[in-house]
Amino acid sequence: MKKTGEEVLGSINKLKIIQRNDHQNYTLDSRLLSDFCRINRHVKKILDIGTGNAILPLLMSQKSKAEITGIEILKISADLAVKNIELNNLSDRIKIIEGDIRKWTDYFRAAEFDQIITNPPFFKYDGNDGQINDLEQLSVARHEYNIKLEEVIQISSVLLKNRAYFTMVHRSERLAEILELLVKYGLEPKRIRFCHTKKDAPAKILLIEAVKGAKKSLVIESPLILSD
């Protein structure tokens, strides 16, 4: 029987990854997001907001030679991220910061990044503790407990260079809100892909790419069906 807090070693895409059974583990969402991300030769610096155990920086390291930074507010998750980077011998390319992205001036400068990726908390938090998990770390990962979607998008816009990319996975039910916030902060939506658990089921997840300061031009890609 596993003890609470026990570390478990697994693998994905030939990468080793340590996870804990009392913290948010990576899901298919992260794999979908990394696959959806487009990386061009001009992308030299990538930021992952809310990196967790560093699953996204690890996967992105297989697509790009860029310098990747992950920022994580929870100490245990940040420590796991560092372990995972070291375990895969990627310390020379990936840096982990334990910190609050809302205090971004402590760590970064404006217009520093060529690309920002994020798998943020999906669910709104209205102050009703009955809607969140008994484990605070899971609430932070799943609900807008520490940071709201608007803050993620606003800060990302500040940290991105002009014509740089913002790529996110989120719940499809919040599409209208996402599009409104992206445009509000100067991130023009360029690509959307909806993900369905089955071909006859409504989309639960969406993948979206926006470009800072770009002209209006939105492509809805073919839907991704996750199961037959």
Side-chain angles (χ1 to χ4, degrees):
M1 183 175 178
K2 293 180 180 178
K3 299 178 181 178
T4 299
E6 183 176 344
E7 294 185 356
V8 179
L9 177 64
S11 64
I12 180 173
N13 275 30
K14 299 182 179 179
L15 294 161
K16 299 173 185 177
I17 185 161
I18 300 169
Q19 305 193 93
R20 275 178 55 140
N21 59 9
D22 61 340
H23 273 63
Q24 180 72 21
N25 291 335
Y26 74 82
T27 64
L28 182 60
D29 299 343
S30 295
R31 176 65 178 271
L32 295 176
L33 180 57
S34 67
D35 287 346
F36 180 74
C37 281
R38 294 190 296 189
I39 306 288
N40 63 42
R41 60 187 176 86
H42 301 294
V43 174
K44 305 298 183 185
K45 296 190 73 174
I46 299 172
L47 174 65
D48 175 25
I49 295 177
T51 197
N53 55 28
I55 180 62
L56 278 171
L58 289 171
L59 291 172
M60 294 297 286
S61 73
Q62 297 184 319
K63 298 184 65 170
S64 171
K65 298 297 184 184
E67 174 188 323
I68 305 172
T69 301
I71 185 166
E72 172 58 46
I73 194 170
L74 296 173
K75 176 174 174 49
I76 291 177
S77 293
D79 289 345
L80 273 181
V82 172
K83 281 187 181 180
N84 286 325
I85 301 310
E86 293 174 348
L87 187 62
N88 290 280
N89 299 313
L90 288 167
S91 299
D92 59 328
R93 294 178 49 203
I94 302 175
K95 178 175 69 174
I96 301 298
I97 295 173
E98 179 197 339
D100 186 343
I101 190 62
R102 292 172 300 180
K103 300 177 181 178
W104 63 268
T105 54
D106 292 346
Y107 319 107
F108 311 119
R109 62 181 185 276
E112 180 173 346
F113 293 96
D114 305 298
Q115 184 157 18
I116 290 178
I117 56 176
T118 184
N119 181 357
F122 285 169
F123 305 105
K124 292 188 176 184
Y125 174 62
D126 60 9
N128 177 13
D129 288 344
Q131 71 181 123
I132 60 176
N133 199 283
D134 290 339
L135 293 174
E136 183 181 7
Q137 62 267 30
L138 295 183
S139 297
V140 169
R142 297 170 185 172
H143 291 79
E144 294 179 357
Y145 187 74
N146 274 346
I147 190 168
K148 292 180 170 57
L149 174 62
E150 180 164 4
E151 293 175 299
V152 172
I153 291 174
Q154 179 183 18
I155 292 167
S156 295
S157 180
V158 173
L159 291 176
L160 285 168
K161 298 176 182 176
N162 196 43
R163 303 291 175 173
Y165 290 82
F166 173 80
T167 316
M168 178 174 69
V169 59
H170 217 289
R171 298 278 292 190
S172 57
E173 65 202 45
R174 297 185 69 179
L175 174 61
E177 178 187 3
I178 291 167
L179 292 175
E180 181 181 354
L181 290 172
L182 289 172
V183 172
K184 178 179 178 179
Y185 292 106
L187 300 173
E188 188 61 37
K190 303 298 286 185
R191 288 194 301 141
I192 296 176
R193 190 172 196 188
F194 294 101
C195 305
H196 304 249
T197 53
K198 297 183 293 185
K199 65 180 180 180
D200 57 350
K204 285 189 175 182
I205 296 297
L206 66 82
L207 302 160
I208 187 163
E209 174 192 272
V211 178
K212 184 175 179 179
K215 295 180 179 178
K216 294 187 180 297
S217 174
L218 176 61
V219 174
I220 306 297
E221 296 189 348
S222 58
L224 179 62
I225 313 300
L226 301 177
S227 172
D228 58 8

